[in-house]
Structures are given as structure tokens and as C-alpha cells.
């Protein structure tokens, strides 16, 4: 007899992943994964001022933050054939690199490490032995026995209080954890250090872009002035601070992050043989030093690896219609009047209104339906519970307060939801339809440009 387990959403990742696993005799015999979130940015951007596109696009994520804005502002500049000044290009590259450094550290420690590090096991560690281990793999100064003893005392207070805080809900003590207690204590200490360090490295974004996450950009340049003698500009003091932050980041990566990766990996080498992994890798290149249109000036070169053959890097030209195709067979999108396999520039796709019942694989008493943003159903947010595309919360003309602000759907609009209701499996007397969609149209509605500040 087999059992079906559904985890939806999977936490510690960005993208609302859904995992279903079929278990038989204590082993997983089959599994399915699905990305269940339609962000709807393509729809949100329609009809808006292109100069504002970066502000919307970078809010797709609060973790990878600046890169979506950078790609968006470059797309607009490419469309109107604008080349940014050299100083603006340097600032963008520095901000990109700061994010590149931070993102790897955050992924390893705060999104990934707790799958390999047993926090509670660290209470059994010998601080002196932990210090010896840490000093054998790195010259990081925070490696004394007293330092690790203090970390262990902090953990003990967490555990004895019954409130592990950020370390709660772990599978502590599970035999799949293979690190010795000393390695666990070292990794937990560095986990906490990484939390403090990332608060510092993001200051690079606040200096050049005003804030983090989601720093500010500007089509044609950057919204900051440089004057080494001006207190309200990017002056010599702030440039020196950026240099110090980048040096600290380099030190943390070289003396903490990379040594920890190399120390943890040997204990889990058997995991490298699980799953097929990826065969092909694609890089469009980045860090231009002579304008984004000059591909030869990139510090990160463009190319593709096929079939894991590292001996050959294939050239990549995004403008080549035959070399790059977009396939949507396994997505919640569909092409309008065309088959899959088009160049991204030619592919006009739209989000499917609901998920097909066959793809849901729902449990007996629960049916979730994912709705995409539908222009006919957009409406402003009402309090904290309602948004236009949310079918379950959509006002159906029965509001006590007729000034609620909802767009009350008529018969034709309500009919758009009939496939959703028909998709429910008729297996019992009660079924709950939890419809979710992307942010409603009230998200960041811009005022007319003549009324906007700055």
C-alpha cells in the first residue's frame, strides 16, 4: 500500500514550490514538483511608463533583489538605444557584485545549511576541539575555544527555554545528519555570523541605491551623484566605506564560507549520486566595462556548456532565432495561437486561468486551484483580506457596504471561474477551493508623473 505526501509550499526557497511524493514500504517510489506561483509581472507592466519598469520587476523577489531591476532597466535602455555613463556602469557592477557575494552566503547558510547541520547536536561538542577544527581549515580570527563556548551557551539557553527561535522545527537527531558535533557547532556559529555579515554587505546598496532590498535605479544612469567633497553626494568617505565592505565580504567568503563548504561536503558525497541533475548550462555574460552592448568587454563571458562537456564553451547569441527556443509544455502558460518552441521575442504567452485537474494530484478532501491574474477580474485591495484575482474572496455583489471598492463581477466574469469549480474531484461531500493569484492591481499604482516627487 502506498501513501501520498504533499508539501505545499516548500519553505526556505523563493518561488512557492510544491512537492508530492508517493511512498511505499518506507521508500519514495515516485515524486512530482511544481512551481505554483504566477507573479504576473508581464501583465502588471502593460500600459505603464517604461521608466518605472525596474521598480516593479525587482519586487518579484526580496532575496535576489537588485538583479531583476538591473535586467529590466537594461532592457529599456536597449530598446531606446541609450548607453549609460562609465561611472553609472561601475556603480551598477559594484552593486551586482555585492549581491553576488551576499546571495551565495545566504543560500548556503540560511536557506540550505540546516538540511546538513544538526543544531542541537552542537550542544555535545567540545569547544576546544571545535576551535582546533576551525583553525585547521581557516585563518578566521573568531575561532578560539572561548568563542565557541559562548556560542554553545547561547544555544543551550535556546534549547532549555523550549523556544529554538530560528532553529525550531528541525529534524534534530535524525540519523541522516552526518556531521560530528564539533563541525555542527562550527557551522552554527558561522550561521549566526553570516546573519550579522549580510547586514553589513547590503550597505553597498544603500549607499548607491538608497536602500536594500530593492535599491533605486534610473533609466540612462543611476540616481546618485558623485562629488568627493560634497556631504550629500557619493563622496570620498562613502567610497572608502564601500571599499571596506567589499574587503570584509571577500574575507568572510574566503575564510568562512568556502572552508565550510569544503568541510561539510565530504560527509555527504553520497548525495551527489542522487538525481539526474543538469546537463546544460547557459550564461549570457555580465559585468560590462564598455557599455552593455559591447559583449567583448564583459568580465563574465557569454557561453553555453552542453552535455556537461567542460572542454567546449559554445557561443551564444540571444538574437539568433534558431539557437534559442522557449518551451512551455511543463508550465502554467500557453501560447496564443502557436505551438511551443518559439524564440522568446516571438512567443506571446498567457497564464492559464486554472490548473488542470490531472496535474493537481490532490488528496481526497482538498482541492487547491491556482488562479492567474485575469484582467477582467482585477480590482483594488479591500482591507487586508481581498484582492481582485482571488476568487474565494471576490465580492459577489453581496457586500453590506456597497462602497467597498470591489469590482462586482457580472455573469460573464463569474463564468470565468466555472472551470475552476468543475475541476474539483467529486469524492466527498466537502471540498475547499483555495484560490490564490499574484498581487492585485492595487500593487504600487503610480501617480501621474507630473505629481511624483524626485
Amino acid at each position: 500500500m502506498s501513501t501520498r505526501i504533499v508539501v505545499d509550499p516548500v519553505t526556505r526557497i523563493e518561488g512557492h514550490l510544491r512537492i508530492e511524493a508517493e511512498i511505499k514500504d518506507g521508500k519514495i517510489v515516485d515524486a512530482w514538483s511544481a512551481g505554483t506561483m504566477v507573479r504576473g509581472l508581464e501583465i502588471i507592466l502593460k500600459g505603464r511608463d517604461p521608466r518605472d519598469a525596474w521598480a516593479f520587476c525587482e519586487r518579484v523577489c526580496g532575496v535576489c533583489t537588485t538583479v531583476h531591476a538591473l535586467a529590466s532597466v537594461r532592457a529599456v535602455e536597449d530598446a531606446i538605444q541609450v548607453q549609460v555613463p562609465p561611472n553609472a556602469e561601475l556603480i551598477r557592477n559594484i552593486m551586482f557584485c555585492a549581491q553576488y557575494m551576499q546571495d551565495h552566503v545566504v543560500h548556503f547558510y540560511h536557506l540550505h545549511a540546516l538540511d546538513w547541520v544538526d543544531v542541537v547536536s552542537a550542544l555535545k561538542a567540545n569547544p576546544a576541539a571545535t576551535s582546533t577544527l576551525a583553525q585547521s581549515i581557516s585563518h578566521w580570527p573568531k575561532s578560539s575555544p572561548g568563542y565557541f563556548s559562548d556560542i554553545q551557551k547561547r544555544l543551550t539557553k535556546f534549547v532549555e527555554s523550549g523556544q529554538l527561535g530560528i532553529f525550531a522545527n528541525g529534524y534534530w537527531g535524525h540519523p541522516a545528519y552526518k556531521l560530528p558535533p564539533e563541525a555542527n557547532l562550527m557551522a552554527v556559529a558561522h550561521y549566526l555570523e553570516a546573519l550579522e555579515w549580510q547586514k553589513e554587505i547590503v550597505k553597498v546598496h544603500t549607499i548607491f541605491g538608497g536602500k536594500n532590498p530593492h535599491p533605486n535605479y534610473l533609466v540612462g544612469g543611476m540616481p546618485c551623484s558623485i562629488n568627493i567633497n560634497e556631504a550629500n553626494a557619493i563622496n570620498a568617505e562613502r567610497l572608502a566605506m564601500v571599499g571596506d565592505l567589499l574587503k570584509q565580504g571577500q574575507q568572510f567568503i574566503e575564510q568562512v564560507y568556502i572552508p565550510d563548504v569544503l568541510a561539510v561536503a565530504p560527509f555527504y558525497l553520497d548525495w551527489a549520486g542522487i538525481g539526474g541533475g543538469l546537463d546544460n548550462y547557459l550564461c549570457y555574460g555580465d559585468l560590462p566595462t564598455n557599455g552593455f552592448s559591447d559583449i567583448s568587454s564583459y568580465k563574465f563571458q557569454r557561453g553555453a556548456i552542453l552535455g556537461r562537456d567542460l572542454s567546449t564553451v559554445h557561443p551564444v547569441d540571444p538574437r539568433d532565432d534558431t539557437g534559442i527556443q522557449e518551451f512551455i509544455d511543463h508550465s502554467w502558460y500557453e501560447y496564443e495561437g502557436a505551438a511551443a518552441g518559439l524564440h522568446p521575442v516571438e512567443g506571446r504567452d498567457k497564464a492559464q486561468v486554472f490548473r488542470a485537474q490531472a496535474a493537481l494530484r490532490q488528496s481526497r478532501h482538498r482541492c487547491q486551484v491556482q488562479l492567474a491574474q485575469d484582467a477582467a477580474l482585477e480590482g483594488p485591495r479591500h482591507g487586508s483580506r481581498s484582492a481582485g484575482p482571488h476568487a474565494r474572496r471576490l465580492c459577489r455583489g453581496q457586500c453590506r457596504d456597497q462602497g467597498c471598492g470591489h469590482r462586482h463581477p457580472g455573469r460573464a466574469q463569474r463564468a470565468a471561474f466555472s472551470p475552476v469549480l468543475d475541476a474539483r474531484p467529486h469524492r466527498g461531500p466537502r471540498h475547499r477551493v483555495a484560490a490564490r493569484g499574484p498581487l492585485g492591481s492595487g500593487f504600487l499604482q503610480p501617480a501621474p508623473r507630473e505629481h511624483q516627487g524626485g
Side-chain angles (χ1 to χ4, degrees):
M1 181 178 179
S2 62
T3 304
R4 181 70 59 82
I5 294 179
V6 178
V7 182
D8 183 8
V10 176
T11 57
R12 283 194 283 122
I13 68 164
E14 179 65 29
H16 291 211
L17 186 68
R18 172 189 175 91
I19 296 291
E20 301 182 46
E22 184 176 343
I23 301 175
K24 188 174 182 180
D25 298 330
K27 294 184 179 181
I28 297 178
V29 296
D30 209 344
W32 301 266
S33 65
T36 60
M37 185 174 185
V38 179
R39 302 178 189 268
L41 284 172
E42 299 91 340
I43 301 172
I44 294 173
L45 288 177
K46 286 184 178 179
R48 298 187 183 274
D49 193 311
R51 292 170 293 182
D52 297 333
W54 64 267
F56 291 88
C57 288
E58 77 173 338
R59 281 163 176 80
V60 71
C61 177
V63 179
C64 45
T65 175
T66 185
V67 292
H68 299 286
L70 181 57
S72 176
V73 78
R74 283 171 172 172
V76 175
E77 290 164 352
D78 181 65
I80 62 177
Q81 296 297 300
V82 169
Q83 184 165 334
V84 302
N87 280 341
E89 186 170 74
L90 286 172
I91 290 173
R92 291 181 180 184
N93 286 346
I94 292 173
M95 293 174 66
F96 171 84
C97 288
Q99 163 65 20
Y100 191 82
M101 298 165 70
Q102 180 205 8
D103 193 63
H104 280 73
V105 172
V106 169
H107 174 267
F108 176 73
Y109 288 106
H110 308 135
L111 303 180
H112 198 207
L114 299 186
D115 293 327
W116 319 105
V117 176
D118 189 336
V119 175
V120 176
S121 166
L123 299 180
K124 304 175 184 178
N126 182 327
T130 304
S131 174
T132 300
L133 170 64
Q135 293 180 32
S136 69
I137 64 174
S138 170
H139 298 294
W140 184 243
K142 295 182 179 181
S143 300
S144 68
Y147 173 75
F148 288 114
S149 178
D150 290 341
I151 294 293
Q152 197 174 53
K153 291 177 182 177
R154 290 174 60 185
L155 286 176
T156 301
K157 290 181 180 179
F158 280 139
V159 174
E160 290 178 348
S161 68
Q163 298 178 340
L164 279 170
I166 58 177
F167 300 124
N169 300 324
Y171 298 99
W172 315 130
H174 194 282
Y177 285 117
K178 298 182 180 181
L179 293 181
E182 286 72 24
N184 283 318
L185 178 57
M186 180 182 70
V188 172
H190 293 164
Y191 179 108
L192 297 173
E193 289 179 42
L195 283 176
E196 296 296 324
W197 171 78
Q198 71 160 324
K199 293 192 303 182
E200 296 300 311
I201 192 64
V202 299
K203 291 179 180 178
V204 174
H205 288 179
T206 65
I207 291 173
F208 290 127
K211 58 190 178 71
N212 178 278
H214 312 141
N216 295 305
Y217 281 77
L218 184 71
V219 173
M222 287 299 291
C224 57
S225 59
I226 298 179
N227 187 327
I228 60 174
N229 299 315
E230 174 60 47
N232 295 321
I234 305 300
N235 53 30
E237 179 184 3
R238 295 181 185 178
L239 290 176
M241 183 178 181
V242 169
D244 289 340
L245 291 170
L246 295 177
K247 290 178 180 178
Q248 294 170 16
Q250 180 182 3
Q251 183 184 24
F252 190 87
I253 289 171
E254 293 179 348
Q255 297 186 21
V256 181
Y257 163 59
I258 293 178
D260 279 359
V261 172
L262 297 178
V264 170
F267 290 92
Y268 295 99
L269 291 179
D270 54 325
W271 282 82
I274 300 176
L278 301 175
D279 291 332
N280 304 323
Y281 301 87
L282 174 65
C283 178
Y284 282 109
D286 214 305
L287 296 183
T289 58
N290 187 36
F292 193 69
S293 59
D294 185 0
I295 300 174
S296 63
S297 72
Y298 289 6
K299 292 292 185 180
F300 286 173
Q301 291 298 306
R302 177 176 291 178
I305 300 293
L306 303 179
R308 301 186 182 181
D309 181 8
L310 300 181
S311 65
T312 304
V313 179
H314 299 269
V316 172
D317 185 357
R319 297 165 295 183
D320 183 1
D321 294 347
T322 61
I324 298 178
Q325 290 179 298
E326 180 183 62
F327 294 87
I328 58 173
D329 305 61
H330 303 287
S331 72
W332 304 125
Y333 290 86
E334 60 184 5
Y335 279 134
E336 296 180 352
L342 297 178
H343 189 274
V345 173
E346 299 178 354
R348 296 291 184 268
D349 51 29
K350 62 179 180 180
Q352 296 176 4
V353 178
F354 65 94
R355 299 194 293 182
Q357 177 182 346
L360 285 175
R361 303 182 183 277
Q362 291 293 352
S363 58
R364 174 181 283 276
H365 299 295
R366 190 164 180 242
C367 176
Q368 286 188 327
V369 180
Q370 182 80 21
L371 293 180
Q373 177 119 355
D374 189 311
L377 298 173
E378 286 184 355
R381 290 190 175 276
H382 180 50
S384 61
R385 293 184 54 81
S386 182
H390 294 242
R392 186 180 177 210
R393 301 170 180 169
L394 187 67
C395 174
R396 299 181 181 276
Q398 300 175 354
C399 277
R400 295 179 183 177
D401 178 11
Q402 293 301 315
C404 66
H406 281 160
R407 183 177 301 171
H408 300 91
R411 180 182 302 173
Q413 292 160 316
R414 286 196 297 269
F417 288 101
S418 60
V420 172
L421 302 180
D422 293 341
R424 294 179 295 171
H426 301 287
R427 296 180 177 177
R430 299 179 63 187
H431 297 285
R432 181 167 66 88
V433 178
R436 292 175 288 178
L439 293 169
S441 60
F443 175 59
L444 281 177
Q445 290 282 7
R449 183 161 293 278
E450 61 267 24
H451 298 301
Q452 291 183 358

